[in-house]
Short mmCIF file of all heavy atoms in Angstrom, two decimals:
data_model
loop_
_atom_site.label_atom_id
_atom_site.label_comp_id
_atom_site.label_asym_id
_atom_site.label_seq_id
_atom_site.Cartn_x
_atom_site.Cartn_y
_atom_site.Cartn_z
N ALA A 71 95.26 109.86 62.13
CA ALA A 71 95.90 109.65 60.82
C ALA A 71 97.38 110.02 60.88
O ALA A 71 98.21 109.41 60.19
CB ALA A 71 95.19 110.48 59.77
N ARG A 72 97.71 111.00 61.68
CA ARG A 72 99.10 111.42 61.83
C ARG A 72 99.82 110.65 62.93
O ARG A 72 101.00 110.86 63.16
CB ARG A 72 99.17 112.92 62.12
CG ARG A 72 98.60 113.78 61.02
CD ARG A 72 98.69 115.24 61.38
NE ARG A 72 100.08 115.68 61.58
CZ ARG A 72 100.42 116.89 61.99
NH1 ARG A 72 99.48 117.78 62.24
NH2 ARG A 72 101.68 117.21 62.14
N LYS A 73 99.09 109.81 63.63
CA LYS A 73 99.63 109.04 64.75
C LYS A 73 100.31 109.98 65.77
O LYS A 73 101.46 109.78 66.16
CB LYS A 73 100.60 107.95 64.28
CG LYS A 73 99.89 106.84 63.50
CD LYS A 73 100.79 105.65 63.23
CE LYS A 73 99.99 104.53 62.58
NZ LYS A 73 100.84 103.36 62.26
N SER A 74 99.55 110.98 66.15
CA SER A 74 100.08 111.88 67.17
C SER A 74 99.08 112.04 68.30
O SER A 74 97.85 111.96 68.09
CB SER A 74 100.45 113.24 66.58
OG SER A 74 99.29 113.99 66.32
N ALA A 75 99.59 112.26 69.48
CA ALA A 75 98.76 112.39 70.68
C ALA A 75 99.41 113.43 71.58
O ALA A 75 100.01 113.11 72.61
CB ALA A 75 98.67 111.04 71.39
N ASN A 76 99.26 114.67 71.19
CA ASN A 76 99.93 115.75 71.89
C ASN A 76 99.17 116.17 73.14
O ASN A 76 97.94 116.23 73.14
CB ASN A 76 100.10 116.96 70.98
CG ASN A 76 100.95 116.65 69.76
OD1 ASN A 76 101.74 115.70 69.77
ND2 ASN A 76 100.78 117.43 68.72
N LEU A 77 99.90 116.44 74.20
CA LEU A 77 99.30 116.91 75.45
C LEU A 77 99.29 118.43 75.46
O LEU A 77 100.32 119.06 75.20
CB LEU A 77 100.12 116.40 76.65
CG LEU A 77 99.64 116.87 78.02
CD1 LEU A 77 98.30 116.22 78.38
CD2 LEU A 77 100.68 116.57 79.09
N VAL A 78 98.13 118.99 75.73
CA VAL A 78 98.00 120.43 75.85
C VAL A 78 97.71 120.77 77.30
O VAL A 78 96.77 120.23 77.90
CB VAL A 78 96.88 120.98 74.95
CG1 VAL A 78 96.79 122.50 75.08
CG2 VAL A 78 97.11 120.59 73.49
N ILE A 79 98.53 121.63 77.87
CA ILE A 79 98.31 122.11 79.23
C ILE A 79 97.92 123.58 79.12
O ILE A 79 98.67 124.40 78.58
CB ILE A 79 99.57 121.98 80.11
CG1 ILE A 79 100.09 120.53 80.10
CG2 ILE A 79 99.27 122.42 81.54
CD1 ILE A 79 101.41 120.35 80.84
N SER A 80 96.73 123.89 79.60
CA SER A 80 96.28 125.28 79.53
C SER A 80 96.64 125.99 80.83
O SER A 80 96.80 125.37 81.88
CB SER A 80 94.77 125.33 79.31
OG SER A 80 94.11 124.75 80.40
N ALA A 81 96.79 127.31 80.75
CA ALA A 81 97.03 128.14 81.93
C ALA A 81 98.09 127.53 82.84
O ALA A 81 97.85 127.17 84.00
CB ALA A 81 95.73 128.33 82.71
N SER A 82 99.30 127.41 82.30
CA SER A 82 100.39 126.74 83.02
C SER A 82 100.63 127.35 84.40
O SER A 82 100.51 128.58 84.59
CB SER A 82 101.70 126.85 82.21
OG SER A 82 101.58 126.19 80.99
N GLN A 83 100.99 126.47 85.32
CA GLN A 83 101.30 126.89 86.69
C GLN A 83 102.72 126.46 87.02
O GLN A 83 103.26 125.54 86.40
CB GLN A 83 100.32 126.22 87.66
CG GLN A 83 98.87 126.54 87.39
CD GLN A 83 97.92 125.72 88.24
OE1 GLN A 83 98.34 124.85 89.01
NE2 GLN A 83 96.63 126.01 88.14
N LEU A 84 103.31 127.13 88.00
CA LEU A 84 104.68 126.80 88.37
C LEU A 84 104.81 125.31 88.75
O LEU A 84 105.82 124.67 88.45
CB LEU A 84 105.16 127.68 89.52
CG LEU A 84 105.25 129.18 89.21
CD1 LEU A 84 105.68 129.95 90.45
CD2 LEU A 84 106.20 129.45 88.05
N GLY A 85 103.77 124.79 89.35
CA GLY A 85 103.78 123.38 89.75
C GLY A 85 103.72 122.40 88.59
O GLY A 85 103.84 121.19 88.79
N ASP A 86 103.52 122.91 87.39
CA ASP A 86 103.52 122.04 86.21
C ASP A 86 104.93 121.70 85.75
O ASP A 86 105.11 120.84 84.89
CB ASP A 86 102.76 122.70 85.04
CG ASP A 86 101.28 122.86 85.32
OD1 ASP A 86 100.73 122.08 86.13
OD2 ASP A 86 100.67 123.79 84.74
N SER A 87 105.91 122.38 86.29
CA SER A 87 107.30 122.07 85.93
C SER A 87 107.62 120.64 86.34
O SER A 87 107.52 120.29 87.53
CB SER A 87 108.26 123.04 86.64
OG SER A 87 108.11 124.35 86.17
N ALA A 88 107.96 119.84 85.36
CA ALA A 88 108.16 118.40 85.59
C ALA A 88 108.58 117.75 84.28
O ALA A 88 108.58 118.39 83.23
CB ALA A 88 106.88 117.73 86.09
N MET A 89 108.87 116.46 84.37
CA MET A 89 109.09 115.65 83.17
C MET A 89 107.75 115.03 82.79
O MET A 89 107.01 114.56 83.67
CB MET A 89 110.11 114.55 83.46
CG MET A 89 110.46 113.69 82.27
SD MET A 89 111.50 114.55 81.08
CE MET A 89 113.11 114.16 81.74
N TYR A 90 107.44 115.04 81.51
CA TYR A 90 106.18 114.49 81.02
C TYR A 90 106.47 113.35 80.06
O TYR A 90 107.26 113.49 79.12
CB TYR A 90 105.35 115.57 80.33
CG TYR A 90 104.78 116.56 81.30
CD1 TYR A 90 105.56 117.61 81.78
CD2 TYR A 90 103.48 116.45 81.77
CE1 TYR A 90 105.06 118.52 82.70
CE2 TYR A 90 102.96 117.36 82.68
CZ TYR A 90 103.76 118.38 83.14
OH TYR A 90 103.26 119.27 84.06
N PHE A 91 105.80 112.22 80.31
CA PHE A 91 105.98 111.03 79.50
C PHE A 91 104.70 110.66 78.78
O PHE A 91 103.62 110.63 79.38
CB PHE A 91 106.41 109.84 80.36
CG PHE A 91 107.78 109.96 80.95
CD1 PHE A 91 107.96 110.43 82.23
CD2 PHE A 91 108.89 109.57 80.21
CE1 PHE A 91 109.24 110.54 82.77
CE2 PHE A 91 110.17 109.66 80.74
CZ PHE A 91 110.34 110.15 82.02
N CYS A 92 104.86 110.33 77.51
CA CYS A 92 103.79 109.75 76.72
C CYS A 92 104.01 108.24 76.71
O CYS A 92 105.17 107.77 76.68
CB CYS A 92 103.87 110.31 75.30
SG CYS A 92 102.63 109.70 74.16
N ALA A 93 102.92 107.48 76.75
CA ALA A 93 103.04 106.02 76.78
C ALA A 93 101.92 105.39 75.98
O ALA A 93 100.86 106.00 75.79
CB ALA A 93 103.01 105.51 78.23
N MET A 94 102.14 104.17 75.53
CA MET A 94 101.15 103.48 74.71
C MET A 94 100.96 102.04 75.19
O MET A 94 101.93 101.36 75.57
CB MET A 94 101.59 103.46 73.23
CG MET A 94 100.67 102.70 72.30
SD MET A 94 101.11 102.91 70.57
CE MET A 94 102.70 102.12 70.49
N ARG A 95 99.72 101.61 75.12
CA ARG A 95 99.37 100.20 75.34
C ARG A 95 98.80 99.69 74.03
O ARG A 95 97.91 100.30 73.46
CB ARG A 95 98.34 100.06 76.44
CG ARG A 95 97.78 98.66 76.63
CD ARG A 95 96.70 98.64 77.69
NE ARG A 95 97.25 98.98 78.99
CZ ARG A 95 96.57 99.65 79.93
NH1 ARG A 95 95.35 100.03 79.70
NH2 ARG A 95 97.13 99.91 81.09
N GLU A 96 99.31 98.56 73.54
CA GLU A 96 98.87 98.03 72.24
C GLU A 96 98.02 96.79 72.40
O GLU A 96 98.36 95.90 73.18
CB GLU A 96 100.10 97.66 71.39
CG GLU A 96 100.96 98.83 70.99
CD GLU A 96 102.17 98.38 70.20
OE1 GLU A 96 102.08 98.30 68.97
OE2 GLU A 96 103.21 98.10 70.84
N GLY A 97 96.96 96.73 71.65
CA GLY A 97 96.14 95.53 71.55
C GLY A 97 95.70 95.02 72.91
O GLY A 97 95.30 95.76 73.78
N SER A 98 95.82 93.70 73.06
CA SER A 98 95.38 93.09 74.31
C SER A 98 96.47 93.10 75.37
O SER A 98 96.24 92.67 76.50
CB SER A 98 94.95 91.64 74.03
OG SER A 98 96.03 90.91 73.49
N GLY A 99 97.64 93.57 75.00
CA GLY A 99 98.71 93.66 75.98
C GLY A 99 98.39 94.70 77.04
O GLY A 99 97.59 95.59 76.81
N SER A 100 98.99 94.57 78.19
CA SER A 100 98.68 95.54 79.23
C SER A 100 99.87 96.39 79.64
O SER A 100 99.70 97.36 80.36
CB SER A 100 98.12 94.82 80.45
OG SER A 100 99.07 93.93 80.97
N ARG A 101 101.07 96.03 79.18
CA ARG A 101 102.22 96.84 79.55
C ARG A 101 102.16 98.16 78.82
O ARG A 101 101.56 98.29 77.76
CB ARG A 101 103.52 96.13 79.20
CG ARG A 101 103.82 96.13 77.71
CD ARG A 101 105.17 95.57 77.39
NE ARG A 101 105.17 94.13 77.38
CZ ARG A 101 106.19 93.40 76.96
NH1 ARG A 101 107.29 93.99 76.54
NH2 ARG A 101 106.13 92.09 76.98
N LEU A 102 102.81 99.17 79.38
CA LEU A 102 102.94 100.46 78.72
C LEU A 102 104.37 100.62 78.21
O LEU A 102 105.31 100.26 78.89
CB LEU A 102 102.63 101.60 79.69
CG LEU A 102 101.22 101.70 80.23
CD1 LEU A 102 101.05 102.98 81.04
CD2 LEU A 102 100.19 101.64 79.12
N THR A 103 104.47 101.16 76.99
CA THR A 103 105.77 101.53 76.43
C THR A 103 105.87 103.04 76.49
O THR A 103 104.97 103.75 76.02
CB THR A 103 105.89 101.06 74.97
OG1 THR A 103 105.71 99.65 74.93
CG2 THR A 103 107.25 101.42 74.41
N PHE A 104 106.96 103.53 77.08
CA PHE A 104 107.11 104.96 77.33
C PHE A 104 108.05 105.61 76.33
O PHE A 104 109.00 104.99 75.84
CB PHE A 104 107.66 105.18 78.73
CG PHE A 104 106.66 104.96 79.83
CD1 PHE A 104 106.41 103.68 80.30
CD2 PHE A 104 105.96 106.02 80.37
CE1 PHE A 104 105.47 103.47 81.30
CE2 PHE A 104 105.03 105.82 81.38
CZ PHE A 104 104.79 104.54 81.83
#
Side-chain angles (χ1 to χ4, degrees):
Chain A
R72 298 179 61 185
K73 292 190 174 178
S74 75
N76 299 338
L77 177 70
V78 181
I79 305 174
S80 63
S82 297
Q83 301 172 357
L84 296 178
D86 294 334
S87 293
M89 183 73 88
Y90 288 81
F91 291 96
C92 180
M94 177 172 65
R95 173 184 295 147
E96 295 178 90
S98 59
S100 62
R101 74 173 80 171
L102 295 187
T103 302
F104 285 83

